[in-house]
Amino acid sequence: MSVAFAPHEYFVSVTEAEYNEQSQTFQMTIKFIGHDLEKALSEAGVPELNLGTEKEEKSANKYILDYINKTFQFNVNDKKLTLQMVGKEVGNDDFIYCYIETEKVRKPKNISIENSMLTEVFLAQENIVYLTVNTKKNSFSFNKDKRKTTLNIE
């Protein structure tokens, strides 16, 4: 995305995560503001990815997943789950949607989330996580000062 964008006041990512009992995995959609993600990747030493263009770097998904794995940890039943990128969409609205799935996990009893995505670049960054397990919805907000939370499932 080599298009210039005007600065904006709000820095936010939204993650929707839901436990799928049938596949026994958590399926997630992480929504980033595209140029914010690209700035964070660039500052982490990643080459220009040209996301959503014909010149998109072939390893773009790997670079994005590596960044997510460094800044977003998802632990269930005291075990850090491996995150896999199923795919991504780059919208014309400068949003990037990353589709993530975890390894299998049976009957989540406790969930610990650590989310510091983009906070190393944007001090006002807010990361919102909506988590659904067994039809019970929870929401959490993370920022540079609050990076971790734990949820016990009954």
Side-chain angles (χ1 to χ4, degrees), residues 87-138:
K88 74 172 179 321
E89 284 182 59
V90 180
N92 293 331
D93 53 2
D94 193 33
F95 288 115
I96 295 176
Y97 300 86
C98 297
Y99 304 108
I100 306 291
E101 188 170 40
T102 66
E103 63 189 280
K104 288 187 177 198
V105 61
R106 289 191 177 162
K107 296 188 178 156
K109 292 181 174 70
N110 62 64
I111 299 169
S112 173
I113 302 169
E114 193 166 338
N115 187 337
S116 63
M117 295 186 297
L118 306 178
T119 60
E120 76 281 7
V121 178
F122 304 105
L123 296 178
Q125 178 71 32
E126 290 287 328
N127 297 313
I128 299 165
V129 175
Y130 298 107
L131 174 66
T132 304
V133 181
N134 304 331
T135 69
K136 186 172 184 333
K137 295 183 183 215
N138 301 276

